[in-house]
Amino acid sequence: MKNWKRMLLSLAISVGLLSSAVPAMAAPQQQPAVKVDNQVVQYSLGTPIIDKGTTLVPLRTTLQALDVKLKGTADDTIHVVVDGKTITLKGKLKQINGVTYAPIRVVGDAAGYKVSWDAKTRAVLLVSKETETAQAGGRGFMWEVESNGNTVYLVGSMHIADDSFYPLREEFEEAFAEADYLGVEIDISKAADEAQQKLILDLGSYQDGTTLKDHVSSETYTKLGDILKKNGLEPNALDAFKPWVAESTLASLKSATAGYEASAGVDLYFIQKAIESKIPVIELESYESQLGMFNDFSKELQEETLKATLDNFDVLDDSVNQMAEMWKTGSDEQLLELTNNFSDNEEYNKAMLIDRNIGMADKIDGYLKSDEKEEYFIVVGAAHYLGEHGIVKLLEDKGYTVERK
């Protein structure tokens, strides 16, 4: 059965300048360090110096640390081999006590490293592309659509995440910085509002005097109680709530133990940035529509999903870890595979994806047809974008070109 993966998917992706002008030779305490992917380079011959605002480093040792082969030097020309290709660099070479020095930025840039200055630790930092990608939280999912002078960026969110997702790669931040509007499924920064809490209680709890025990099998109810007790809760803690609330509570509990929380989710991250930058936040859906969808699931589907969560409770955190890695690698193939897990239940697939995708695609279509010539940064669960009924396909069917970024 794929329905437990389907449930997890809906939870996880649905709910520096060199400032010193004093040569280090004149002031040994001012000598900078050089770090390659956070590892300090140890120099046996010579040490890095700052000469008229430029950091010079012993060439041969630095190239070895960067895994770059020195082919030769002549005057101000350096020949090196990077990834099997010979590259000629122009830099002001300097001989100090028989050691050849070269500007660190020239060498680092040529080797494909990001070069920066950390004033606090007085260190030149060289970061490889692989490390930069890992530090940036990963590739994630983003597409771009342009029409009529308007630009829409489509970002696939993980609604629950952890600190390892951040900082996001520059393309996300640059696109958001130009946005006139942030679009999200719902503005979850309002989740704690009294009105929203009342709505959850009104829809998610029984109003007729019955309890959860009256609506699920004895087997499901007993297993729920056992798991609640093992997690420090009373076995009847969720009696007042419907199966869809119980299932969501358990999944959130398990994902939190794995370190993933909504407070670190990609959509909330951008909502908070929009609030700080006073960028209008527009909702493609509403709390009423989302909660109503779950509440309208048939009794059979609600218990099926709850039971799947109970049966797989011990491995849910591993599965969330896998989906987090899928997001970081930005694999369209893995995302599509996960999205297709919705299709094993027609009722669930229609409600969670098909109907909602149509509604969101229609709103995005409206943004693209606007005469305002503005930029929209749209962040919704990544599961909504790919597949036969995904937003990308729906927009392409409307005649738009959607480009993966």
Side-chain angles (χ1 to χ4, degrees):
M1 290 288 288
K2 298 179 180 178
N3 50 3
W4 65 276
K5 291 184 179 179
R6 181 187 68 211
M7 173 280 303
L8 268 173
L9 186 61
S10 65
L11 168 71
I13 51 181
S14 180
V15 132
L17 295 176
L18 304 177
S19 57
S20 174
V22 181
M25 293 179 294
Q29 70 274 17
Q30 296 293 315
Q31 292 176 342
V34 174
K35 294 183 179 180
V36 176
D37 286 340
N38 210 33
Q39 297 295 314
V40 177
V41 179
Q42 302 295 331
Y43 292 96
S44 57
L45 295 175
T47 57
I49 64 171
I50 296 177
D51 182 19
K52 297 180 180 179
T54 298
T55 299
L56 302 176
V57 293
L59 179 60
R60 190 176 297 276
T61 302
T62 303
L63 290 176
Q64 289 175 348
L66 298 176
D67 197 25
V68 173
K69 182 179 180 181
L70 177 64
K71 197 170 184 179
T73 62
D75 299 326
D76 287 346
T77 302
I78 312 168
H79 301 284
V80 297
V81 180
V82 179
D83 293 333
K85 297 180 180 179
T86 299
I87 298 177
T88 300
L89 313 178
K90 292 289 186 179
K92 294 182 179 179
L93 302 183
K94 193 168 187 175
Q95 293 290 326
I96 302 176
N97 296 327
V99 178
T100 301
Y101 280 72
I104 184 62
R105 185 168 295 278
V106 172
V107 176
D109 287 346
Y113 285 73
K114 180 179 179 181
V115 183
S116 61
W117 170 251
D118 185 351
K120 185 177 180 180
T121 61
R122 291 195 56 77
V124 180
L125 309 180
L126 295 99
V127 180
S128 64
K129 291 180 180 178
E130 294 80 5
T131 300
E132 185 178 10
T133 297
Q135 292 177 341
R139 185 186 182 199
F141 298 93
M142 183 165 68
W143 296 263
E144 181 182 5
V145 192
E146 294 181 328
S147 181
N148 197 37
N150 301 294
T151 300
V152 172
Y153 286 96
L154 304 169
V155 175
S157 174
M158 282 276 290
H159 291 323
I160 55 172
D162 64 11
D163 291 343
S164 69
F165 281 64
Y166 304 97
L168 299 176
R169 61 186 174 100
E170 292 182 0
E171 288 85 348
F172 284 90
E173 301 290 0
E174 290 170 357
F176 178 79
E178 299 298 323
D180 298 294
Y181 296 94
L182 169 66
V184 291
E185 293 174 31
I186 53 176
D187 184 351
I188 58 176
S189 68
K190 301 176 181 177
D193 288 359
E194 184 178 344
Q196 310 302 343
Q197 293 299 309
K198 184 177 185 302
L199 180 62
I200 294 173
L201 287 173
D202 288 346
L203 289 177
S205 60
Y206 293 106
Q207 310 292 327
D208 58 1
T210 61
T211 68
L212 179 63
K213 188 176 183 179
D214 301 312
H215 296 270
V216 297
S217 68
S218 58
E219 178 188 358
T220 298
Y221 183 77
T222 299
K223 192 158 192 173
L224 172 62
D226 291 342
I227 288 178
L228 290 174
K229 189 174 181 179
K230 288 179 181 178
N231 285 272
L233 300 171
E234 292 296 326
N236 62 352
L238 297 176
D239 273 15
F241 298 100
K242 297 177 181 178
W244 65 269
V245 177
E247 177 270 320
S248 178
T249 301
L250 286 178
S252 297
L253 175 66
K254 192 62 172 177
S255 61
T257 63
Y260 299 95
E261 297 182 345
S263 60
V266 176
D267 39 358
L268 184 58
Y269 169 79
F270 283 112
I271 289 172
Q272 291 169 336
K273 286 178 68 74
I275 293 172
E276 294 168 0
S277 304
K278 301 188 185 308
I279 296 174
V281 178
I282 53 179
E283 297 179 306
L284 279 67
E285 299 182 307
S286 67
Y287 272 97
E288 290 81 0
S289 67
Q290 284 204 359
L291 294 176
M293 174 195 66
F294 286 110
N295 194 54
D296 289 341
F297 283 162
S298 66
K299 177 181 178 180
E300 294 75 18
L301 179 57
Q302 288 195 41
E303 180 165 3
E304 175 194 336
T305 307
L306 173 58
K307 188 175 184 301
T309 302
L310 295 170
D311 290 343
N312 297 278
F313 189 76
D314 291 338
V315 298
L316 296 187
D317 48 356
D318 291 335
S319 298
V320 177
N321 285 330
Q322 292 174 12
M323 283 185 287
E325 290 307 309
M326 175 272 297
W327 190 93
K328 292 174 185 178
T329 60
S331 170
D332 288 1
E333 293 77 12
Q334 292 180 29
L335 176 59
L336 181 58
E337 179 182 353
L338 284 169
T339 303
N340 287 339
N341 285 323
F342 279 88
S343 62
D344 68 323
N345 185 289
E346 182 178 353
E347 178 187 358
Y348 197 91
N349 188 43
K350 184 176 187 302
M352 283 293 293
L353 287 186
I354 296 177
D355 292 346
R356 294 174 64 199
N357 290 353
I358 291 172
M360 288 191 278
D362 286 345
K363 287 196 173 183
I364 295 168
D365 179 39
Y367 305 151
L368 289 165
K369 289 179 176 175
S370 168
D371 293 326
E372 300 299 323
K373 303 188 185 312
E374 293 177 312
E375 181 169 310
Y376 295 79
F377 193 84
I378 306 296
V379 185
V380 303
H384 292 287
Y385 286 110
L386 299 183
E388 180 183 357
H389 303 288
I391 291 174
V392 170
K393 177 68 162 52
L394 293 173
L395 291 175
E396 289 175 341
D397 289 345
K398 294 177 182 291
Y400 297 108
T401 298
V402 184
E403 181 181 359
R404 182 73 154 89
K405 305 298 288 185

